[in-house]
Amino acid sequence: MRDGLGPARVRLRGGPVLAELESRFGAGARAKVLAGEVVAADGAVVTETTVAPAGAHVYLYRELRDEVPVPFDLPVLHRDDDLVVVDKPHFLATMPRGRHVAQTALVRLRRELDLPELAPAHRLDRLTAGVLVFTTRREVRGAYQRLFADGAVRKTYLARAGVDQGLALPTVVRSRIVKRRGQLQAVEEPGEPNAVTLVEHCGDGLYRLTPSTGRTHQLRVHMAALGVPILGDPLYPDIVDVAPDDFADPLRLLAHRMEFPDPRTGRRREFVSGRAL
């Protein structure tokens, strides 16, 4: 771990490793190899003459690009030996991906709390704010991640959207949602439903959303399908180009409350966001 970041894992096409890394990452890759900073999966240092088969992996620390700072705080709601729970702001990604690396909740917390093994138990979309749970140690990570994977966590979201007087609420929305690699939007398709959301109107354009599944962009897709898309959504129903330094119009979606039985102690855990919509 270096300054909150672990090395990147690179899957190789096969052949001389240095030539492939240079073709993919530029001249800087040669300097990393010569400095002994690229290693194979078994820990062997990659040299100028190393040859690897297709599908092998090497590890190296990437050079970070300049990122637009996300100008919002990341309050800690709870911390103990197993968990760190935060109130994530809008626009901050959960963990490194694509152009968002240092400006992520995971890297910020590793640096600020000096917890190199910190890892997310689940994810929130970059544009969604609210309760986000991390595990502090590798040996407890699996137990909490399984809770989320198995649907044993009750999540309640709040959202702001327009009001359709003809829309009968509460209602349970069931559909099949598919998110394909390379496409910004998830889509609803015919077939067996894999996404279920209870939608309730609390009045004055405030909605309570209770998902019983966790498909990508599920709440945003379901609200748009009902004809009341969430305010500030740059993807649904239509894609809107937003500058990376434009923080003026956040998605009005908040992971407000989270409840689950602790897999290590058996006691009930409950965390509530302090953010307003």
Side-chain angles (χ1 to χ4, degrees):
M1 197 66 59
R2 286 186 183 176
D3 200 19
L5 278 171
R9 186 176 74 161
V10 180
R11 190 173 189 269
L12 300 173
R13 295 189 286 263
V17 175
L18 176 57
E20 180 174 341
L21 293 179
E22 283 186 306
S23 70
R24 294 171 64 176
F25 302 109
R30 172 174 287 273
K32 289 184 178 295
V33 170
L34 295 179
E37 291 193 355
V38 182
V39 300
D42 62 359
V45 175
V46 171
T47 69
E48 293 177 90
T49 60
T50 300
V51 176
H57 293 90
V58 295
Y59 297 80
L60 70 159
Y61 292 96
R62 62 197 129 178
E63 296 297 328
L64 298 184
R65 301 175 181 176
D66 290 337
E67 296 180 48
V68 176
V70 178
F72 305 112
D73 62 351
L74 184 61
V76 174
L77 297 174
H78 173 85
R79 179 178 178 180
D80 59 33
D81 289 343
D82 295 336
L83 299 178
V84 172
V85 184
V86 298
D87 206 351
K88 188 183 84 67
H90 298 285
F91 301 107
L92 188 68
T94 296
M95 59 190 299
R97 186 177 182 182
R99 67 185 183 188
H100 305 287
V101 180
Q103 289 297 311
T104 60
L106 177 61
V107 175
R108 275 200 194 180
L109 290 168
R110 280 178 174 172
R111 292 173 174 177
E112 293 172 6
L113 304 180
D114 192 23
L115 292 172
E117 292 188 1
L118 194 75
H122 65 114
R123 297 187 187 185
L124 282 181
D125 287 348
R126 185 178 69 88
L127 299 183
T128 303
V131 178
L132 180 58
V133 178
F134 292 85
T135 59
T136 61
R137 297 173 289 126
R138 187 172 303 169
E139 56 266 32
V140 304
R141 187 181 306 165
Y144 291 99
Q145 289 180 339
R146 279 193 297 274
L147 273 181
F148 288 87
D150 294 344
V153 179
R154 178 178 172 82
K155 307 173 189 176
T156 305
Y157 292 75
L158 297 178
R160 289 278 179 189
V163 177
D164 181 353
Q165 299 296 342
L167 185 61
L169 295 176
T171 189
V172 176
V173 183
R174 294 181 174 87
S175 70
R176 181 169 188 80
I177 295 178
V178 177
K179 177 70 166 63
R180 293 185 173 84
R181 182 181 294 273
Q183 296 183 358
L184 294 176
Q185 291 180 319
V187 296
E188 290 184 305
E189 294 185 347
E192 183 70 21
N194 61 3
V196 180
T197 307
L198 170 64
V199 180
E200 302 170 275
H201 188 206
C202 304
D204 196 28
L206 180 66
Y207 295 82
R208 181 168 52 243
L209 311 177
T210 308
S212 53
T213 54
R215 308 305 299 184
T216 299
H217 295 178
Q218 175 177 322
L219 304 181
R220 300 162 69 178
V221 170
H222 279 170
M223 290 294 283
L226 289 174
V228 284
I230 298 173
L231 297 178
D233 196 333
L235 289 183
Y236 304 96
D238 302 309
I239 297 175
V240 178
D241 188 22
V242 180
D245 59 349
D246 185 351
F247 304 111
D249 189 21
L251 175 72
R252 288 2 181 249
L253 179 61
L254 177 70
H256 177 64
R257 182 185 300 269
M258 188 173 296
E259 304 169 57
F260 55 85
D262 192 292
R264 288 172 54 77
T265 67
R267 64 189 179 92
R268 178 174 169 271
R269 297 272 202 168
E270 180 179 358
F271 305 107
V272 180
S273 170
R275 297 187 184 275
L277 284 178

